[in-house]
Amino acid sequence: MPASKTPIYTALGANLLIAITKLVAAVFTGSSAMVSEGIHSLVDTSNEVLLLLGISKSQKPADENRPFGYGKELYFWSFMVSLLFFALGGGFSIYEGVEHIMNPQEVRNPIWNYIVLGIAFIFDGISFITAMREFKRQRGNMPFWEAVHISKDPSTFVVLFEDAADVIGILIAFTGILLGQILGNPYIDGIASVMIGLLLTAVAILLVRESRSLLMGESASAEELQKIIALAESFENVKQVESHQSMYLAPEEVILVLKVRFKQGIDVGEVGLSIATLKKDIQELYPHFKQIYVDVG
């Protein structure tokens, strides 16, 4: 089922406003965890922009340079988002935390941190719920992790995991600032920043793995391919489907190559009619098989 852009636009607006608010609060309070959260939100904002860019580029029609279309642009930009999440989000947060631990500074006016984190939690929570609803719409009754693994639309699960990391990161920052204030220990704020960085790194590794798999080319599901083979072999003129190859070019676009052996004695006209009918039947069954090629064995 095609994904909606609503979660991306929701996350973009929320992250931009939250990033500005967090960084302003960090300037006035000197909180390392708040700096990490501000950087985190800025990275998320740039990620949403890159995802929208990927979606736009992936919808360009095929041309002489890209005869199979530009669908994989979305996979490329999703992979870049995952790397940015790792390098900028996780790396900078860990660096900021270590720097604060080595040179601890007491957090000033912590009440502003609590206010900002509370506001951020509300907006990030709304964004997370929006992304979760969209992902649930797509996965139906499929188990969550199975749906993530087989999903061919990174624009949905990337935003979902970003928003989840946002919410958890806010809770870590809040806890670090609060404990540091209660215990009078400025090191806790730096530790919280490192924890946020490790969280972002873990999420980034997951996103890199899934995005890389899509970029390298994933085949259609075994269930779909088995039904297509059964459909082809149900034709009276078909003896056997000898082989099949498929690959996702975009979330709703699959290329399929079938090597079909026809029965002896069938003339060229009957073969051509069978191939045309087979292609039509496959696309009626699975509309996302946009490009189908039948090799006569």
Side-chain angles (χ1 to χ4, degrees), residues 2-292:
S4 168
K5 293 182 182 178
T6 301
I8 302 179
Y9 286 121
T10 302
L12 175 61
N15 285 323
L16 181 58
L17 293 174
I18 292 169
I20 295 172
T21 306
K22 286 177 179 177
L23 291 175
V24 170
V27 171
F28 285 101
T29 62
S31 170
S32 174
M34 188 59 73
V35 171
S36 296
E37 276 298 297
I39 294 171
H40 178 184
S41 294
L42 279 178
V43 172
D44 285 352
T45 303
S46 64
N47 288 347
E48 267 71 76
V49 172
L50 292 179
L51 283 176
L52 290 172
L53 176 65
I55 291 174
S56 176
K57 285 181 172 291
S58 70
Q59 294 172 348
K60 290 174 59 178
D63 54 31
E64 292 184 358
N65 294 325
R66 297 288 186 274
F68 293 111
Y70 289 79
K72 285 200 172 186
E73 285 276 4
L74 175 58
Y75 296 156
F76 170 76
W77 289 106
S78 298
F79 185 70
M80 293 302 296
V81 164
S82 304
L83 292 179
L84 285 174
F85 206 69
F86 173 79
L88 299 182
F92 279 165
S93 293
I94 292 174
Y95 171 80
E96 175 65 23
V98 172
E99 177 67 22
H100 193 84
I101 292 173
M102 295 177 64
N103 302 286
Q105 297 179 3
E106 186 176 352
V107 176
R108 306 180 302 273
N109 302 316
I111 186 63
W112 291 107
N113 281 335
Y114 301 139
I115 294 173
V116 170
L117 288 175
I119 295 172
F121 185 82
I122 293 172
F123 282 107
D124 279 331
I126 293 172
S127 181
F128 174 70
I129 292 171
T130 303
M132 180 61 81
R133 285 176 176 173
E134 171 62 19
F135 188 69
K136 186 176 181 180
R137 179 184 72 87
Q138 290 187 60
R139 71 184 176 94
N141 296 322
M142 187 178 299
F144 180 84
W145 287 109
E146 181 181 351
V148 170
H149 182 64
I150 70 171
S151 174
K152 302 303 184 289
D153 189 352
S155 66
T156 300
F157 67 74
V158 167
V159 173
L160 176 63
F161 278 96
E162 281 185 1
D163 288 340
D166 287 343
V167 173
I168 297 173
I170 289 171
L171 295 176
I172 293 174
F174 178 88
T175 303
I177 295 170
L178 181 62
L179 288 177
Q181 183 184 7
I182 292 174
L183 301 177
N185 187 343
Y187 290 99
I188 296 179
D189 185 49
I191 294 173
S193 182
V194 172
M195 290 178 64
I196 293 171
L198 293 175
L199 168 68
L200 300 185
T201 300
V203 173
I205 291 173
L206 173 63
L207 295 180
V208 165
R209 186 187 67 179
E210 296 298 330
S211 298
R212 175 185 176 277
S213 180
L214 291 169
L215 184 61
M216 294 296 291
E218 290 188 2
S219 68
S221 71
E223 180 183 359
E224 291 177 345
L225 292 173
Q226 287 301 317
K227 288 184 178 180
I228 288 173
I229 292 173
L231 173 64
E233 293 181 343
S234 69
F235 278 59
E236 183 179 355
N237 295 334
V238 174
K239 181 178 181 180
Q240 181 185 11
V241 175
E242 294 186 337
S243 64
H244 58 80
Q245 295 174 309
S246 64
M247 183 172 64
Y248 268 87
L249 301 176
E252 293 296 321
E253 183 177 353
V254 180
I255 182 173
L256 173 67
V257 178
L258 292 175
K259 186 174 183 181
V260 180
R261 180 177 296 277
F262 286 85
K263 294 179 180 178
Q264 293 183 352
I266 307 299
D267 62 42
V268 175
E270 289 179 304
V271 171
L273 180 60
S274 296
I275 290 175
T277 304
L278 175 60
K279 289 182 178 180
K280 179 182 177 182
D281 289 349
I282 291 174
Q283 290 180 330
E284 286 181 353
L285 182 63
Y286 298 117
H288 53 282
F289 281 78
K290 304 293 186 185
Q291 301 183 55
I292 302 173

